[in-house]
Amino acid sequence: MQSPESDGPAEPDDAPQDAPRDEDASADRLDIPAAWEAARTLFDATREFAVALFALARSELRLARVSWPLVFALVVVLVGLSLSLWASLIALIGWGLYLLTHSVGLALAALVGVHVVLLVVARLLLRRTARNMTMPATRAEMRDLFARARRAPEDR
């Protein structure tokens, strides 16, 4: 009720201050035009992003397509130079072994022995790499995970 001394509406002193008023309630309502504009802006930004991403991918594919002949030529050059370097290194090692042993036969035998050792090491590394490519740790973890998943309903 309104007292004769007050000019405003009567509110008890112990009334909670957090009670919503009419102007607060109108501020809490959803502003449909603003929400629509925000959604439209988000859609436009997403569309621009997708268009830019596809343009970048198309440009990268064109660059890759144009670069393949150069990559192929460089691989051929690298393989040729690597073989030439290997042959030169073998000739130097053979010459050094000949100077050490003073025998062509012993130098060639030592050179063949070095090659056999290198081939055995390369084969062992290849076998280990091939085994690792089967992802044994990941497969073991997956087996353990599935085993725990099968046991889980029984434990509950």
Side-chain angles (χ1 to χ4, degrees), residues 6-7 17 24 54 59 62 64 90 112 115 120 127 129 145 149:
S6 68
D7 294 341
Q17 298 296 326
D24 289 341
F54 285 124
S59 176
R62 270 186 291 186
I90 294 303
V112 168
H115 274 86
V120 167
R127 288 176 92 192
T129 302
L145 181 67

Side-chain angles (χ1 to χ4, degrees), residues 29-41:
R29 287 190 213 130
L30 182 62
D31 189 9
I32 299 297
W36 180 255
E37 186 62 32
R40 180 71 178 169
T41 303

Side-chain angles (χ1 to χ4, degrees), residues 120-137 139:
V120 167
V121 168
R123 184 168 183 230
L124 291 174
L125 289 173
L126 184 62
R127 288 176 92 192
R128 186 172 68 180
T129 302
R131 187 180 66 242
N132 288 339
M133 287 176 62
T134 64
M135 297 183 287
R139 287 187 295 128

Side-chain angles (χ1 to χ4, degrees), residues 86 108-124:
W86 182 254
L108 287 176
L111 199 57
V112 168
V114 168
H115 274 86
V116 168
V117 168
L118 289 175
L119 285 173
V120 167
V121 168
R123 184 168 183 230
L124 291 174

Side-chain angles (χ1 to χ4, degrees), residues 32-49:
I32 299 297
W36 180 255
E37 186 62 32
R40 180 71 178 169
T41 303
L42 177 64
F43 175 76
D44 289 343
T46 304
R47 187 184 67 220
E48 288 175 17
F49 172 75

